[in-house]
Amino acid sequence: MVNKAKIEEAVTMILEAIGEDVTREGLVETPARIARMYEEIFSGVDESCEELMAKRFHEPNNDMVLEKDIVFYSMCEHHLLPFFGKVHVAYVPDGEVVGLSKLARTVDVYAKRPQLQERMTNQIADAIMEQLGAKGAMVMIEAEHMCMTMRGIKKPGSKTVTCVKRGKFEKDDALVHDFYRMLQQ
Protein backbone atom coordinates (compact mmCIF):
# COMPACT_ATOMS: atom_id res chain seq x y z
CA MET A 1 0.00 0.00 0.00
CA VAL A 2 1.44 3.32 -1.12
CA ASN A 3 1.93 5.97 1.56
CA LYS A 4 1.07 9.10 -0.44
CA ALA A 5 1.80 11.54 2.39
CA LYS A 6 5.32 10.15 2.79
CA ILE A 7 5.93 10.36 -0.98
CA GLU A 8 4.71 13.97 -1.05
CA GLU A 9 7.05 14.84 1.81
CA ALA A 10 9.98 13.15 0.08
CA VAL A 11 9.31 14.86 -3.27
CA THR A 12 9.08 18.23 -1.51
CA MET A 13 12.45 17.55 0.12
CA ILE A 14 14.02 16.56 -3.21
CA LEU A 15 12.73 19.72 -4.90
CA GLU A 16 14.09 21.83 -2.05
CA ALA A 17 17.41 19.94 -2.17
CA ILE A 18 17.94 20.79 -5.84
CA GLY A 19 17.29 24.46 -5.10
CA GLU A 20 13.70 24.79 -6.30
CA ASP A 21 11.05 26.99 -4.77
CA VAL A 22 8.32 24.49 -3.84
CA THR A 23 5.81 27.34 -3.48
CA ARG A 24 6.03 28.46 -7.09
CA GLU A 25 2.93 27.89 -9.19
CA GLY A 26 4.27 25.06 -11.36
CA LEU A 27 5.52 23.02 -8.39
CA VAL A 28 2.82 23.52 -5.74
CA GLU A 29 0.87 20.40 -6.75
CA THR A 30 3.86 18.36 -7.99
CA PRO A 31 4.35 16.31 -4.80
CA ALA A 32 0.69 15.19 -4.88
CA ARG A 33 0.91 14.42 -8.62
CA ILE A 34 4.05 12.33 -8.07
CA ALA A 35 2.35 10.44 -5.20
CA ARG A 36 -0.62 9.57 -7.44
CA MET A 37 1.73 8.57 -10.26
CA TYR A 38 3.78 6.33 -7.96
CA GLU A 39 0.60 4.66 -6.74
CA GLU A 40 -0.15 3.74 -10.37
CA ILE A 41 3.30 2.83 -11.67
CA PHE A 42 4.25 0.80 -8.60
CA SER A 43 0.88 -0.98 -8.28
CA GLY A 44 2.55 -4.36 -8.91
CA VAL A 45 4.38 -4.29 -5.56
CA ASP A 46 1.32 -5.66 -3.75
CA GLU A 47 0.04 -7.87 -6.59
CA SER A 48 0.46 -11.58 -7.22
CA CYS A 49 -0.07 -13.69 -10.33
CA GLU A 50 -1.64 -16.53 -8.38
CA GLU A 51 -5.19 -15.18 -8.47
CA LEU A 52 -4.65 -13.71 -11.92
CA MET A 53 -3.96 -17.12 -13.48
CA ALA A 54 -6.44 -19.10 -11.39
CA LYS A 55 -9.04 -19.25 -14.17
CA ARG A 56 -7.90 -21.75 -16.77
CA PHE A 57 -9.45 -23.55 -19.69
CA HIS A 58 -8.99 -27.22 -20.48
CA GLU A 59 -7.37 -27.65 -23.86
CA PRO A 60 -5.94 -30.95 -25.05
CA ASN A 61 -3.76 -29.25 -27.67
CA ASN A 62 -0.28 -28.83 -26.15
CA ASP A 63 1.32 -26.73 -28.89
CA MET A 64 3.23 -23.54 -28.12
CA VAL A 65 1.24 -20.40 -27.34
CA LEU A 66 3.06 -17.13 -28.11
CA GLU A 67 1.96 -13.64 -27.24
CA LYS A 68 4.43 -11.15 -28.65
CA ASP A 69 4.97 -7.42 -28.54
CA ILE A 70 3.42 -6.85 -25.11
CA VAL A 71 4.33 -3.23 -24.39
CA PHE A 72 5.47 -2.50 -20.84
CA TYR A 73 6.82 0.36 -18.73
CA SER A 74 8.84 -0.19 -15.58
CA MET A 75 11.20 1.67 -13.25
CA CYS A 76 14.85 0.77 -12.79
CA GLU A 77 15.41 0.10 -9.11
CA HIS A 78 18.94 1.55 -9.26
CA HIS A 79 18.02 5.05 -10.48
CA LEU A 80 14.19 5.17 -10.35
CA LEU A 81 14.19 6.03 -14.04
CA PRO A 82 11.91 4.34 -16.57
CA PHE A 83 12.77 1.44 -18.81
CA PHE A 84 10.30 0.30 -21.40
CA GLY A 85 9.89 -1.95 -24.38
CA LYS A 86 8.28 -5.19 -25.45
CA VAL A 87 7.90 -8.60 -23.88
CA HIS A 88 7.43 -11.82 -25.85
CA VAL A 89 5.92 -14.68 -23.83
CA ALA A 90 5.59 -18.28 -24.97
CA TYR A 91 4.51 -21.40 -23.14
CA VAL A 92 3.70 -25.01 -23.84
CA PRO A 93 0.52 -25.90 -21.95
CA ASP A 94 -0.05 -29.16 -20.14
CA GLY A 95 -3.78 -29.59 -20.81
CA GLU A 96 -4.77 -26.12 -19.59
CA VAL A 97 -4.47 -22.64 -21.08
CA VAL A 98 -5.09 -19.22 -19.61
CA GLY A 99 -6.88 -16.27 -21.22
CA LEU A 100 -4.44 -14.31 -23.38
CA SER A 101 -5.01 -11.09 -21.44
CA LYS A 102 -3.65 -12.86 -18.37
CA LEU A 103 -0.22 -13.09 -19.99
CA ALA A 104 -0.16 -9.32 -20.55
CA ARG A 105 -1.45 -8.75 -17.01
CA THR A 106 1.32 -10.98 -15.67
CA VAL A 107 3.85 -8.77 -17.45
CA ASP A 108 2.25 -5.72 -15.79
CA VAL A 109 2.37 -7.27 -12.31
CA TYR A 110 6.14 -7.59 -12.54
CA ALA A 111 6.76 -4.40 -14.54
CA LYS A 112 4.88 -2.20 -12.07
CA ARG A 113 7.44 -2.32 -9.29
CA PRO A 114 11.03 -1.16 -8.83
CA GLN A 115 12.70 -3.67 -11.09
CA LEU A 116 15.67 -5.08 -12.95
CA GLN A 117 15.02 -6.33 -16.48
CA GLU A 118 16.93 -9.54 -15.79
CA ARG A 119 14.81 -10.32 -12.73
CA MET A 120 11.56 -9.41 -14.48
CA THR A 121 12.32 -11.84 -17.33
CA ASN A 122 12.81 -14.67 -14.83
CA GLN A 123 9.78 -13.76 -12.75
CA ILE A 124 7.43 -13.87 -15.75
CA ALA A 125 8.75 -17.26 -16.89
CA ASP A 126 8.61 -18.68 -13.36
CA ALA A 127 5.03 -17.45 -12.87
CA ILE A 128 3.92 -19.21 -16.05
CA MET A 129 5.62 -22.44 -15.03
CA GLU A 130 4.33 -22.36 -11.45
CA GLN A 131 0.83 -20.97 -11.91
CA LEU A 132 -0.08 -22.78 -15.15
CA GLY A 133 1.91 -25.93 -14.62
CA ALA A 134 3.22 -25.39 -18.16
CA LYS A 135 5.54 -27.91 -19.81
CA GLY A 136 7.79 -25.04 -20.79
CA ALA A 137 8.06 -21.26 -20.96
CA MET A 138 10.24 -18.80 -22.82
CA VAL A 139 10.31 -15.06 -22.21
CA MET A 140 12.24 -12.39 -24.10
CA ILE A 141 12.32 -8.72 -23.17
CA GLU A 142 13.68 -5.92 -25.36
CA ALA A 143 13.92 -2.59 -23.52
CA GLU A 144 15.40 0.86 -23.58
CA HIS A 145 16.66 2.11 -20.23
CA MET A 146 16.49 5.83 -19.50
CA CYS A 147 19.34 5.41 -17.00
CA MET A 148 21.53 4.68 -20.06
CA THR A 149 19.97 7.13 -22.49
CA MET A 150 19.39 10.37 -20.56
CA ARG A 151 22.23 10.17 -18.01
CA GLY A 152 25.54 8.37 -17.55
CA ILE A 153 26.75 6.91 -20.84
CA LYS A 154 23.95 8.70 -22.82
CA LYS A 155 23.35 6.16 -25.59
CA PRO A 156 19.79 6.80 -26.88
CA GLY A 157 18.25 3.98 -28.86
CA SER A 158 20.37 1.25 -27.29
CA LYS A 159 18.33 -1.77 -26.24
CA THR A 160 18.91 -4.45 -23.67
CA VAL A 161 17.64 -7.93 -24.54
CA THR A 162 17.10 -10.65 -21.95
CA CYS A 163 15.78 -14.14 -22.57
CA VAL A 164 15.03 -17.10 -20.32
CA LYS A 165 13.94 -20.65 -21.07
CA ARG A 166 12.22 -23.10 -18.79
CA GLY A 167 11.17 -26.74 -19.16
CA LYS A 168 10.82 -27.97 -22.75
CA PHE A 169 12.42 -24.81 -24.13
CA GLU A 170 15.67 -25.72 -22.34
CA LYS A 171 15.89 -29.07 -24.11
CA ASP A 172 14.15 -28.64 -27.48
CA ASP A 173 16.16 -26.57 -29.97
CA ALA A 174 13.39 -26.90 -32.58
CA LEU A 175 10.90 -25.34 -30.17
CA VAL A 176 13.27 -22.44 -29.50
CA HIS A 177 13.76 -22.04 -33.27
CA ASP A 178 9.96 -21.91 -33.68
CA PHE A 179 9.78 -19.19 -31.01
CA TYR A 180 12.28 -17.01 -32.89
CA ARG A 181 10.65 -17.76 -36.27
CA MET A 182 7.23 -16.75 -34.91
CA LEU A 183 8.68 -13.49 -33.57
CA GLN A 184 9.70 -12.58 -37.11
CA GLN A 185 6.19 -13.04 -38.54
Side-chain angles (χ1 to χ4, degrees):
M1 181 80 165
V2 171
N3 184 332
K4 289 185 192 177
K6 201 167 186 177
I7 293 171
E8 288 182 37
E9 182 182 340
V11 170
T12 299
M13 290 173 60
I14 290 170
L15 290 170
E16 290 171 344
I18 64 171
E20 272 292 352
D21 173 6
V22 295
T23 63
R24 78 174 167 85
E25 183 182 14
L27 292 178
V28 169
E29 296 178 27
T30 296
R33 279 192 294 270
I34 299 292
R36 288 190 307 273
M37 176 186 70
Y38 276 13
E39 182 176 44
E40 178 184 340
I41 65 176
F42 293 125
S43 63
V45 169
D46 295 323
E47 287 189 59
S48 163
C49 291
E50 191 172 332
E51 186 177 320
L52 188 64
M53 291 195 192
K55 182 163 176 70
R56 298 185 198 99
F57 305 97
H58 295 286
E59 178 56 48
N61 183 347
N62 291 325
D63 292 329
M64 178 179 23
V65 176
L66 170 67
E67 188 162 346
K68 64 182 187 174
D69 298 332
I70 302 168
V71 175
F72 79 95
Y73 301 90
S74 191
M75 293 289 271
C76 163
E77 68 181 33
H78 294 150
H79 302 97
L80 288 183
L81 286 172
F83 69 98
F84 54 91
K86 294 180 180 179
V87 179
H88 315 292
V89 177
Y91 73 100
V92 177
D94 189 12
E96 291 184 319
V97 296
V98 69
L100 295 176
S101 69
K102 303 304 188 243
L103 297 175
R105 289 175 197 263
T106 297
V107 168
D108 279 349
V109 164
Y110 293 110
K112 291 186 174 195
R113 52 181 69 176
Q115 192 57 277
L116 295 175
Q117 180 175 333
E118 298 87 342
R119 180 187 312 120
M120 186 173 131
T121 311
N122 281 287
Q123 288 173 324
I124 295 167
D126 291 342
I128 290 168
M129 292 299 288
E130 292 166 14
Q131 301 305 319
L132 293 181
K135 290 181 180 178
M138 188 164 172
V139 177
M140 175 191 273
I141 299 180
E142 305 171 67
E144 184 169 341
H145 292 249
M146 296 305 289
C147 57
M148 277 195 49
T149 62
M150 71 179 285
R151 58 154 303 280
I153 189 92
K154 295 184 181 117
K155 296 296 179 193
S158 64
K159 291 207 171 134
T160 301
V161 179
T162 51
C163 187
V164 299
K165 299 181 269 186
R166 300 286 189 269
K168 286 186 79 161
F169 285 95
E170 294 174 291
K171 303 169 189 100
D172 189 339
D173 290 339
L175 192 61
V176 172
H177 176 76
D178 285 347
F179 173 87
Y180 289 119
R181 182 183 50 76
M182 291 168 72
L183 285 182
Q184 302 304 314
Q185 295 178 346

